[in-house]
Amino acid sequence: FPPRLRREDGLYTGNFCDCTFGRGGHTREILRRVCPNSRVFAFDVDPEAIQVARALELEDPRFQIIHAPFGEIGSVFSPGTLDGVLV
């Protein structure tokens, strides 16, 4: 996480992306470390991963899965939209 995005309470603010959701381990850790008004996005194409991600979307409104390969990140997000990307 960029240090400039860290709040006094230790949480981070911004828009973050996990390029490979998998089973959501890294995404869940990012969600644990960001404040309530932050957003976390993840890419994946595997049907089982998408199913796990859809359940996480219901659990945490800050999260959104993008059912596409992470190579499409440039067509999904405008430059400067994301504050951090995990590849």
Side-chain angles (χ1 to χ4, degrees), residues 47-75:
E48 291 179 20
I50 296 299
Q51 185 177 15
V52 172
R54 294 285 182 224
L56 182 55
E57 283 180 322
L58 295 174
E59 291 174 31
D60 195 323
R62 299 173 298 167
F63 174 67
Q64 180 182 342
I65 187 67
I66 300 161
H67 191 172
F70 70 83
E72 293 185 23
I73 193 169
S75 62

Side-chain angles (χ1 to χ4, degrees), residues 26-71:
H26 288 110
T27 299
R28 288 179 188 276
E29 185 61 25
I30 294 168
L31 286 164
R32 192 178 73 75
R33 295 173 182 241
V34 298
C35 66
N37 65 338
S38 291
R39 294 296 314 269
V40 178
F41 305 92
F43 285 85
D44 215 305
V45 295
D46 175 60
E48 291 179 20
I50 296 299
Q51 185 177 15
V52 172
R54 294 285 182 224
L56 182 55
E57 283 180 322
L58 295 174
E59 291 174 31
D60 195 323
R62 299 173 298 167
F63 174 67
Q64 180 182 342
I65 187 67
I66 300 161
H67 191 172
F70 70 83

